[in-house]
Amino acid sequence: MKHLLSIADLTPTSAMSILDTAQEMSRVSASSVKKLPTLRGRTIVNLFLEDSTRTRISFEAAAKRLSADVINFSAKGSSVSKGESLKDTAQTLQAMGADAVIIRHSASGAAQWLADSEWMSGSVINAGDGTHEHPTQALLDAFTIRKHLGGGTGDLRGLQVAIVGDILHSRVARSNVQLLTLLGAQVILVAPPTLLPVGVESWPVQISYDLDAVLPIVDAVMMLRVQLERMNDFFFPNPREYSHFFGLNRDRLRTLKSGAIIMHPGPMNRGLEITADCADSARSVIVEQVTNGVSVRMAVLYLLLAGLQEEEPSVNS
Amino acid sequence: MSVALPAADITRALMRISHEILERNSGSQSLVLLGIPTRGVHLAQRIASNIATIESATVPLGTLDITLHRDDLRMQPPRALMPTNIPSVGIDGRDVVLIDDVLFSGRTIRAALDALGEIGRPKSVQLAVLVDRGHRQLPIRPDFVGKNLPTSLTQSIKVHLMEMDGCDEVLLESQGGAS
């Protein structure tokens, strides 16, 4: 495995090996000296051409804990804002000797494009491309679900996970549907019909328009952010009506199965898709998702960068 | 292929090592045993249960995976990580005994010493191995040895343990399978 571009590239074995590695990495994050020499001398570039808080700092923390050198690059304040193309930017990074590029871009497929190009030779990690995929988010979500509901090992067979909200624009949902299904969980999408993508019938999921019917049966509920920056059409009448039908609030919290967890990839619109008391309740693992994100990203960086890269390498050797 | 150490000899060697560890450290009060995956973990468990029989005391027992500290990571495809469990008493001020199956170049132990340095500051670190086959590439020596087995670099040592392989034996293999 040289790049991590899409969950579709993973097999159940390689996905499990990332989660198992992350499990070991989480011990490092919990120890007093949070530093390993594993990636010493490797250069990792955070190429964030779209805004991000937690993904960027999570990758940065992960790379630094493995002793890699991290160069942060964002569109604002760089030559990208003067109109430099992705090609020129990539060639600049190649010339500086980047071993890996972590890319976030507003265009779907940007990571794949960079990986297929001959502009740079390093690994490419997709940190979110448009409305396509966000594989490390799905991996950290699966890791969190496994830790709480799967005993920390094994796959997710027999679990039911609801993904609620703006499926149409959500790369997190697309990656999660693939990964959770790959690991054996059953995914239920809950959204107004206007926020479901065309062709969703062919996804390996159940679809519901009724959040109240789904909440009592699922083991985990993942609330998605209403992406106000992409709401350039009439998807729902107004935010209050959206909250009324698809928001997680105190009354709905009571109907959850015992042991069920509440997740959110962040950033949250408190009061829109989730109320503050749900986000801060004992059921919520939202803050822990951030912690797990660092472990999962350490695992991905380790598996992609630490070893010798062969022509057809496998994650498990 | 020849059997260098049969099952009964392995049991005797481990019992002797257990006694020697207790003798060197004047008992088991300050000890922490750390097995290096994969087979060192099982050897550490056996030594811990020997010590429990001899002293009727429980010794803190853990595992230490050294993969992330290896110096040859870039020469091979990525390796799977094994569990690291440090006993809750920690290692600060303790006499830590690292336990592995075969001591060869000494690079695993160097990595283990680096890994320990990130966990705490032991009073001392000692090394127990079932087989010392020589050919050290670093200035590292074992404190407790089951058997010194002089080998040539073309030979290989296979350790089989009941817990993983269904039988206890140490095999000496020459290249090409002839023995």
Side-chain angles (χ1 to χ4, degrees):
Chain A
M1 195 160 84
K2 182 177 178 191
H3 308 297
L4 180 66
L5 304 173
S6 160
I7 294 294
D9 299 336
L10 298 179
T11 61
T13 324
S14 61
M16 289 295 288
S17 100
I18 295 174
L19 299 188
D20 291 341
T21 306
Q23 181 69 36
E24 290 308 314
M25 292 297 183
S26 68
R27 292 180 215 271
V28 177
S29 305
S31 73
S32 56
V33 182
K34 298 180 178 59
K35 194 86 173 173
L36 289 165
T38 316
L39 295 181
R40 203 166 51 200
R42 303 271 167 135
T43 303
I44 295 174
V45 176
N46 262 335
L47 180 61
F48 277 65
L49 303 175
E50 196 186 53
D51 292 343
S52 161
T53 309
R54 69 209 76 216
T55 306
R56 184 173 58 75
I57 60 176
S58 178
F59 267 114
E60 184 172 350
K64 285 183 170 168
R65 280 185 195 169
L66 293 172
S67 301
D69 295 314
V70 184
I71 299 172
N72 280 310
F73 188 108
S74 57
K76 290 189 192 97
S78 73
S79 290
V80 173
S81 60
K82 298 180 193 163
E84 187 174 46
S85 69
L86 184 57
K87 175 175 178 178
D88 290 333
T89 306
Q91 285 177 331
T92 305
L93 300 177
Q94 168 72 13
M96 286 182 187
D99 294 296
V101 172
I102 297 160
I103 180 173
R104 162 159 301 185
H105 200 286
S106 58
S108 301
Q112 182 79 49
W113 200 48
L114 192 60
D116 291 345
S117 75
E118 288 177 0
W119 308 329
M120 50 167 294
S121 58
S123 294
V124 177
I125 299 171
N126 184 0
D129 58 334
T131 59
H132 175 230
E133 280 227 42
H134 191 352
T136 56
Q137 177 71 40
L139 286 161
L140 79 88
D141 288 336
F143 182 82
T144 306
I145 293 172
R146 183 170 90 146
K147 201 166 151 193
H148 280 272
L149 305 165
T153 52
D155 58 18
L156 305 178
R157 214 157 298 194
L159 295 178
Q160 289 198 301
V161 181
I163 303 179
V164 185
D166 183 2
I167 311 291
L168 177 63
H169 297 105
S170 177
R171 53 196 175 210
V172 175
R174 280 171 183 76
S175 288
N176 259 309
V177 164
Q178 294 179 69
L179 182 64
L180 297 176
T181 311
L182 190 71
L183 295 173
Q186 170 68 50
V187 178
I188 306 173
L189 300 180
V190 186
T194 48
L195 287 175
L196 285 168
V198 173
V200 73
E201 320 76 58
S202 65
W203 293 13
V205 295
Q206 291 174 28
I207 292 162
S208 169
Y209 306 121
D210 184 359
L211 183 57
D212 291 307
V214 169
L215 286 180
I217 60 165
V218 293
D219 302 287
V221 52
M222 192 182 293
M223 304 305 297
L224 297 176
R225 183 172 68 94
V226 175
Q227 304 196 24
L228 296 168
E229 75 274 22
R230 298 190 224 264
M231 290 296 155
N232 45 12
D233 204 345
F234 294 105
F235 293 110
F236 48 80
N238 59 56
R240 218 174 64 185
E241 184 166 331
Y242 179 86
S243 290
H244 179 69
F245 286 105
F246 295 99
L248 193 60
N249 54 34
R250 196 179 308 173
D251 292 333
R252 290 197 168 113
L253 182 66
R254 288 198 202 101
T255 67
L256 276 175
K257 207 161 133 175
S258 86
I261 56 173
I262 299 169
M263 307 170 74
H264 193 299
M268 288 184 273
N269 298 310
R270 285 179 184 248
L272 183 48
E273 70 267 6
I274 187 166
T275 59
D277 48 359
C278 292
D280 302 330
S281 76
R283 296 292 189 86
S284 160
V285 295
I286 296 169
V287 178
E288 196 197 313
Q289 283 175 273
V290 178
T291 310
N292 293 341
V294 177
S295 304
V296 163
R297 291 177 176 119
M298 285 170 78
V300 168
L301 292 174
Y302 168 72
L303 292 169
L304 292 184
L305 296 178
L308 176 76
Q309 293 299 336
E310 293 161 13
E311 285 308 303
E312 287 291 341
S314 69
V315 176
N316 309 302
S317 69
Chain B
M1 194 191 310
S2 65
V3 178
L5 216 53
D9 285 0
I10 292 177
T11 309
R12 287 187 201 105
L14 290 177
M15 185 53 88
R16 176 174 51 75
I17 289 174
S18 309
H19 278 288
E20 284 175 354
I21 290 173
L22 289 170
E23 186 184 10
R24 165 84 68 94
N25 297 288
S26 316
S28 63
Q29 301 83 351
S30 64
L31 286 178
V32 171
L33 304 183
L34 292 179
I36 298 175
T38 49
R39 287 181 178 73
V41 174
H42 300 298
L43 295 174
Q45 279 162 358
R46 293 197 201 179
I47 290 174
S49 78
N50 285 348
I51 289 178
T53 321
I54 302 164
E55 294 273 291
S56 28
T58 319
V59 194
L61 172 68
T63 62
L64 182 68
D65 181 52
I66 55 97
T67 309
L68 294 165
H69 294 268
R70 297 185 73 96
D71 58 6
D72 61 352
L73 279 173
R74 289 186 191 192
M75 299 170 196
Q76 305 175 20
R79 293 160 168 265
L81 303 186
M82 308 296 285
T84 293
N85 289 308
I86 300 301
S88 53
V89 296
I91 61 167
D92 287 327
R94 293 273 179 159
D95 293 303
V96 173
V97 184
L98 295 173
I99 298 165
D100 204 0
D101 52 355
V102 179
L103 180 60
F104 185 21
S105 66
R107 287 175 191 267
T108 301
I109 304 304
R110 181 210 59 83
L113 292 172
D114 283 357
L116 279 182
E118 272 159 27
I119 297 164
R121 185 180 183 281
K123 183 163 145 238
S124 71
V125 182
Q126 298 159 28
L127 173 61
V129 295
L130 183 60
V131 174
D132 180 357
R133 64 166 295 187
H135 305 289
R136 216 78 75 236
Q137 295 164 356
L138 294 171
I140 279 169
R141 60 154 180 79
D143 299 273
F144 313 103
V145 183
K147 188 171 174 68
N148 281 298
L149 214 54
T151 54
S152 82
L153 282 170
T154 58
Q155 291 173 313
S156 70
I157 300 268
K158 286 248 161 65
V159 175
H160 291 158
L161 294 177
M162 193 62 88
E163 294 89 336
M164 300 179 66
D165 314 293
C167 67
D168 276 354
E169 60 185 1
V170 178
L171 302 175
L172 182 62
E173 283 176 351
S174 300
Q175 209 88 53
S179 64

